[in-house]
Amino acid sequence: MTTIKKVALVAALLLCVLLPAGAISAGAETVSDEAAYKAATDTDPHLPLTSDQQKMLELKDQTAANALSGKTSTTPAKGKLSAAGVTSPSTLAAAYATTAGIPLAANVAKNQTPQQTSYWCGPTAVQEALGQLNRSYSQAALAQELGTTASGTTAWSGGPTKTGHPVPDVLNKHQSFFYVQVEVSSPPSDQEVETYKSRLTADIGLAGVPLIGNAWTTPYSEFWLVGHPHNVTIKHWFDIYGYRISGGTTYTKYEDSVSGATSIGWHDAVPAYSELPSHQIMHIVGGRGYVW
């Protein structure tokens, strides 16, 4: 039996929890790299952003870029984007306002919480992010809103929410900072990595709000979240609470709901808080992406 076939036999489709092997498509046994493997096994519909989401994404990028380049000079107003004016350049400028430039390190409140079931990583990441935005909701309530299924799925797209993008839709429902999700190629391009770094530092360093990542790692991956097994396929939502810039490298700080989640056999290997170089995070979320 070839090495690839052995890997395919032990690989299991996992979304916050290991599921029985056999969820791999027939063509997956013949692939030799991660991009081909993901293409062969991807079942997400990858719904495009709505026109309003696309416009907001472009507006956020431009406003954040202006702030990061020092063009914004108003008084800092962390996370004050108005829910009633989410398409307003002035409310975005207020959210990203800075007078001192981007800090070399920043984070929002650390509040890692173990997921209460083996498949509630999505609800838990949203719970953590909302908590960092001073909103409190139970994992059970968020699981219902997100359409999380008992098979372990909090959809990247195609979920039962307003735009079909469950995580940003639920985040936007419960607080005033406008979130939109960004797909990342597998593997990510250099431009995607640099864009993520800018968005990370703008949201956390200027606006004081978290991000959420959607990991997709496989037996063919080069990088994994800290403590996650390498011989299975894992899809996992995680809260991004900070960053650090050192020696020209931008590190992403994140919290992992697997830590302390006793329903997951390998939870003891996973730290509550970790950091990885941001280019590694981009490879880890390749084929899915992040909510910004």
Side-chain angles (χ1 to χ4, degrees):
M1 184 178 292
T2 66
T3 299
I4 291 174
K5 286 186 177 181
K6 288 179 180 177
V7 171
L9 285 174
V10 300
L13 195 63
L14 179 146
L15 191 42
C16 314
V17 58
L18 293 174
L19 296 179
I24 300 171
S25 66
E29 291 187 2
T30 63
V31 302
S32 60
D33 66 283
E34 183 176 48
Y37 177 88
K38 288 182 176 180
T41 61
D42 194 2
T43 59
D44 191 276
H46 294 277
L47 297 181
L49 298 179
T50 67
S51 59
D52 286 342
Q53 287 173 320
Q54 185 61 45
K55 290 176 183 176
M56 192 60 184
L57 176 64
E58 294 168 2
L59 183 58
K60 287 183 70 175
D61 272 330
Q62 185 59 60
T63 308
N66 290 345
L68 291 170
S69 66
K71 294 180 181 179
T72 301
S73 59
T74 54
T75 303
K78 302 235 181 231
K80 298 298 184 183
L81 185 59
S82 169
V86 294
T87 59
S88 165
S90 62
T91 55
L92 273 171
Y96 288 119
T98 179
T99 57
I102 187 70
L104 291 178
N107 59 266
V108 298
K110 297 166 69 173
N111 65 346
Q112 187 273 347
T113 305
Q115 56 194 67
Q116 293 171 359
T117 77
S118 60
Y119 54 90
W120 275 5
C121 63
T124 309
V126 173
Q127 180 190 48
E128 290 167 339
L130 288 172
Q132 291 156 343
L133 295 164
N134 300 311
R135 303 290 189 271
S136 179
Y137 298 91
S138 71
Q139 292 178 29
L142 293 171
Q144 184 172 11
E145 289 188 49
L146 291 162
T148 302
T149 68
S151 63
T153 302
T154 298
W156 170 251
S157 72
T161 56
K162 182 178 179 180
T163 72
H165 302 100
V167 169
D169 283 348
V170 173
L171 286 172
N172 292 338
K173 176 181 177 181
H174 292 300
Q175 52 77 53
S176 61
F177 190 85
F178 190 89
Y179 280 94
V180 62
Q181 70 186 47
V182 179
E183 288 208 355
V184 174
S185 303
S186 178
S189 67
D190 291 344
Q191 184 58 56
E192 286 177 306
V193 173
E194 293 306 310
T195 298
Y196 165 73
K197 292 177 184 178
S198 296
R199 290 167 172 168
L200 171 71
T201 53
D203 265 25
I204 294 175
L206 301 184
V209 298
L211 292 77
I212 293 179
N214 191 197
W216 186 3
T217 53
T218 80
Y220 306 101
S221 294
E222 185 177 2
F223 307 108
W224 294 264
L225 294 177
V226 178
H228 284 223
H230 295 186
N231 63 337
V232 291
T233 296
I234 298 175
K235 296 174 184 174
H236 182 62
W237 292 95
F238 60 100
D239 175 273
I240 297 172
Y241 75 90
Y243 71 87
R244 177 175 65 89
I245 302 172
S246 177
T249 299
T250 301
Y251 296 87
T252 293
K253 298 181 177 183
Y254 68 92
E255 45 194 48
D256 195 326
S257 62
V258 170
S259 181
T262 56
S263 59
I264 298 175
W266 41 276
H267 69 93
D268 282 341
V270 179
Y273 304 98
S274 298
E275 72 170 32
L276 289 171
S278 291
H279 75 277
Q280 294 188 17
I281 291 290
M282 283 293 91
H283 279 268
I284 287 168
V285 303
R288 290 295 184 264
Y290 57 95
V291 176
W292 172 61

